[in-house]
Amino acid sequence: MCSIRDLKEQFSNGTLSPVAHTKTVLSSIKKANEKLNAVSWFRSEDEILKDALQSEQRYKEGKPLGTFDGIPVTVKDIESNACAGIPLKNGSMMTALHRTPTESALHIEILQRQGAIIICQTTSPELGFKATTSTKLNGVTLNPRDTTLTSGGSSGMLRYSFFRVVAHTRGVVCFQNIPGNRITPQADTITKG
């Protein structure tokens, strides 16, 4: 398992590059998604690798943007995680809910300002209001520990090992704003409310 701190150290000393790491993470997510159906949308590989290359250059210059520079992240397809330029469908077939935000939610903006690399958008139940991640829009998201089961919960794969195992072993950040936490944009920190 590799922590963000470990990744940042490896990026800084050149033993691992954000580009190589991002390619590994992207490949792992794509492979897992073939079986689990956990991703509703991928950014283009060219865009992802462009971000990783820019991060790599910043590390070479000794000027990473912040805590998450070069760290691959995923964003859940739900309104509270709006991300500028990424299609938002809220897990719903209702096209009136489909839009491409021009601004990111504050916590997503903080990740972006700090150099996080957005890989994809993960599935969610319709409007996030269902005990399983199963929709007409995306189909069923399976539990990686037992693919005869769904992943469960409004967060779909945020809850299970797609992020708990794949993410933590690949250095991916899974960030979800939790009610009661306060995000302070000036300090780029999150504190208990």
Side-chain angles (χ1 to χ4, degrees):
M1 187 157 72
C2 193
S3 70
I4 291 174
R5 181 177 294 145
D6 293 340
L7 285 171
K8 289 181 62 65
E9 184 177 317
Q10 291 175 43
F11 294 163
S12 293
N13 68 27
T15 56
L16 179 64
S17 77
V19 172
H21 180 66
T22 299
K23 284 180 178 180
T24 299
V25 168
L26 181 59
S27 174
S28 295
I29 291 173
K30 284 183 174 182
K31 183 176 181 181
N33 193 54
E34 289 174 9
K35 185 189 302 184
L36 305 176
N37 188 38
V39 176
S40 58
W41 181 85
F42 280 96
R43 283 182 69 209
S44 80
E45 196 164 332
D46 288 343
E47 289 175 340
I48 293 168
L49 294 178
K50 179 182 174 190
D51 286 354
L53 189 58
Q54 289 171 347
S55 174
E56 188 170 307
Q57 187 58 43
R58 288 190 295 269
Y59 276 101
K60 285 180 181 177
E61 294 169 0
K63 299 177 183 177
L65 292 178
T67 303
F68 299 106
D69 202 352
I71 305 298
V73 298
T74 64
V75 179
K76 179 178 156 186
D77 176 24
I78 201 76
E79 190 67 34
S80 61
N81 286 342
C83 186
I86 293 181
L88 185 63
K89 295 184 179 180
N90 293 292
S92 179
M93 293 286 287
M94 294 186 295
T95 57
L97 295 174
H98 297 185
R99 67 186 187 92
T100 301
T102 56
E103 294 182 2
S104 294
L106 182 58
H107 59 283
I108 303 297
E109 182 183 328
I110 290 169
L111 288 170
Q112 291 171 315
R113 279 196 323 237
Q114 291 196 1
I117 301 168
I118 296 175
I119 301 288
C120 60
Q121 190 176 60
T122 59
T123 59
S124 73
E126 191 162 6
L127 307 176
F129 294 124
K130 195 173 173 187
T132 62
T133 304
S134 154
T135 66
K136 289 182 180 180
L137 179 67
N138 297 308
V140 177
T141 299
L142 300 176
N143 181 325
R145 295 179 189 203
D146 182 347
T147 57
T148 65
L149 303 173
T150 69
S151 61
S154 68
S155 296
M157 293 315 294
L158 287 173
R159 234 181 260 304
Y160 288 99
S161 67
F162 182 78
F163 286 99
R164 299 295 187 239
V165 176
V166 175
H168 292 298
T169 61
R170 300 291 186 221
V172 178
V173 170
C174 173
F175 184 88
Q176 181 176 3
N177 190 19
I178 300 167
N181 285 350
R182 185 175 56 246
I183 300 174
T184 309
Q186 297 81 5
D188 287 350
T189 60
I190 302 169
T191 58
K192 290 283 182 190

